[in-house]
Amino acid sequence: MSIRHHHPADDAGFDALVQVVPVLVDLVPAGDAFDFPARTLLHAGPPFDAPASVPAAVLNSAAAAAVFEGWAADREDALVRLRSGDLTLAAAQDYRCAVPLASVLSPSQFVQVVHDANRPDRRAFSSLNGGNGPALRLGLPTPNVVHHLRWLNGAFANAIRPGCRRGTALIPIADFALTMGDDLHGRTAAATARLVETLSSGNAWPSMATDFLDASPSFFLNLWMAATKCILSGAEGMQDCSLVSALGANGHQVGIQLAGRPGHWVRSPSSPPRGRLEAGITPQERLPAIGDSALIEASGLGAMGFEHSPPQRESFADFMSHPPAELARALLMAPHPAFARSKARFGLAARQAVASGHDLIVALGIIDIEGRRGRIGGGLWSSTPELFQRALEGLHPTPVHP
């Protein structure tokens, strides 16, 4: 099968995907945004197959969120409740949420609500980016993580909430940012600056909010994860469609869902990203890949879009299997018509991934496997076509007529 001729179901899925118009419309507690399961914390990637599979970093984040919610008195109490089953863990993407790295989402945390302007009942959610301080995504065991959660979901969220409710179209920001050297995953500085300019227009933000955002060039990342989840869901439910609609890792396994089988995870063991580690860190200290931000590569950006970002392309050149533009042509279906300036390609189809023989490349932060030091580097995780082949085996073979 030529990778230049797509299956009719994948063509139909791509046509549906590019009709999605993601718009930021609200900032509300997660428990008010959707039917949040009781005494549950939502994590990145597929569900854990056993309690012993949960990495230390995720346990640390879950404990901090439990204290933040008032479900536990302190970290030790929270860990006891998690181990006993009094508190449970579930996959965020199964609730149309996306969380970064070792983070978890709890019902009192604010989520950015993104809906499809063409079909407002299609929605996706993400927590606020925690910036460069003791952010929940780092999986740290210290009490200041809880303090930061309270500030982020209190004073800060209240300051930016009016701007979030104005209705901000996100593809124009993303398209502009790609022309400015962002890849919309590891590098989002131009997108963050444009977003802050849009949200703050006409609002007198307190200096603490402005100072935090000035020091947080990755703030757009979580929002774009929700936008990406919203976009990819456009093809969900289309029979035999092999477009990837979910992709993430939990530090133990990586999981994928295809649009033709929504809700069905296909998993494989997660390996650590390859990349540059901080001084004194050994390769054995890397946690296997973790985070829902892999969704961005599943759409076609991030490492798959390094051709738009010379700084990222140069930084990761030693770890790339093929030139970024070659990977994008081999793995992604076509340019997204709404990305008129950047002409970014979108649409990762499992059929095309298998036919191409190329690995999917995902840029990820590297987390300390012991859950003590947080982020210890940055690198690339790659998936062989075998994962896509196994996902394809579950699709219905019935032909689809557009």
Side-chain angles (χ1 to χ4, degrees):
M1 179 176 68
S2 169
I3 64 173
R4 297 187 183 277
H5 295 88
H6 306 130
H7 189 282
D10 294 340
D11 279 334
F14 183 79
D15 290 344
L17 180 152
V18 300
Q19 296 302 313
V20 176
V21 179
V23 178
L24 170 63
V25 293
D26 211 345
L27 181 66
V28 296
D32 296 339
F34 58 94
D35 188 13
F36 207 107
R39 296 181 72 78
T40 299
L41 300 162
L42 305 182
H43 63 81
F48 290 107
D49 53 10
S53 304
V54 183
V58 176
L59 284 175
N60 287 339
S61 296
V67 174
F68 167 73
E69 289 291 335
W71 294 343
D74 54 29
R75 178 173 180 271
E76 293 307 317
D77 182 32
L79 291 173
V80 169
R81 292 176 183 276
L82 284 160
R83 290 173 182 135
S84 71
D86 177 50
L87 303 176
T88 58
L89 295 168
Q93 289 192 54
D94 287 342
Y95 294 86
R96 299 201 175 279
C97 298
V99 298
L101 292 177
S103 191
V104 298
L105 181 64
S106 61
S108 297
Q109 291 179 46
F110 276 73
V111 289
Q112 299 161 115
V113 180
V114 174
H115 81 194
D116 175 8
N118 288 329
R119 213 189 89 179
D121 63 318
R122 177 182 287 131
R123 303 195 302 166
F125 316 94
S126 63
S127 54
L128 290 166
N129 186 282
N132 295 325
L136 196 63
R137 69 180 185 276
L138 302 176
L140 296 167
T142 53
N144 57 357
V145 175
V146 179
H147 300 323
H148 187 58
L149 263 181
R150 289 172 177 151
W151 176 83
L152 188 71
N153 294 280
F156 176 76
N158 290 329
I160 71 166
R161 196 175 189 183
C164 294
R165 289 179 158 172
R166 189 177 299 147
T168 300
L170 298 176
I171 285 180
I173 294 176
D175 189 28
F176 161 78
L178 289 171
T179 69
M180 300 298 290
D182 283 359
D183 66 1
L184 294 179
H185 188 170
R187 185 181 175 91
T188 62
T192 295
R194 179 60 62 92
L195 175 69
V196 171
E197 177 185 328
T198 302
L199 297 186
S200 63
S201 177
N203 294 327
W205 281 1
S207 60
M208 57 86 180
T210 303
D211 293 346
F212 173 74
L213 289 166
D214 285 346
S216 304
S218 63
F219 187 78
F220 186 77
L221 172 58
N222 290 33
L223 177 58
W224 188 245
M225 288 163 60
T228 300
K229 187 66 181 172
C230 189
I231 291 169
L232 296 183
S233 71
E236 280 187 341
M238 303 191 74
Q239 189 178 42
D240 208 25
C241 179
S242 80
L243 285 177
V244 173
S245 58
L247 176 65
N250 61 23
H252 175 65
Q253 293 179 320
V254 61
I256 188 174
Q257 293 183 24
L258 302 187
R261 290 189 83 188
H264 178 79
W265 288 99
V266 176
R267 317 181 205 190
S268 67
S270 179
S271 56
R274 295 175 57 249
R276 291 185 174 83
L277 302 175
E278 294 179 1
I281 302 295
T282 65
Q284 291 73 29
E285 295 173 87
R286 299 170 299 164
L287 180 69
I290 188 168
D292 283 335
S293 57
L295 282 165
I296 294 170
E297 274 77 3
S299 74
L301 302 177
M304 298 303 299
F306 274 176
E307 63 179 301
H308 302 285
S309 181
Q312 291 289 86
R313 190 166 66 242
E314 181 178 347
S315 178
F316 289 101
D318 293 344
F319 307 100
M320 296 289 294
S321 58
H322 297 85
E326 179 184 330
L327 279 177
R329 286 193 301 270
L331 289 167
L332 304 173
M333 291 193 65
H336 192 305
F339 283 74
R341 300 174 69 168
S342 64
K343 297 178 173 54
R345 297 183 75 89
F346 264 66
L348 175 64
R351 288 188 181 91
Q352 187 164 329
V354 170
S356 75
H358 285 67
D359 294 345
L360 170 70
I361 304 296
V362 179
L364 290 171
I366 303 174
I367 296 293
D368 170 27
I369 196 169
E370 295 182 355
R372 293 187 294 112
R373 285 171 292 187
R375 192 181 191 276
I376 57 173
L380 300 177
W381 174 85
S382 60
S383 170
T384 64
E386 184 268 342
L387 178 61
F388 298 97
Q389 180 63 56
R390 285 200 294 113
L392 276 176
E393 290 167 2
L395 283 181
H396 297 295
T398 307
V400 171
H401 303 287

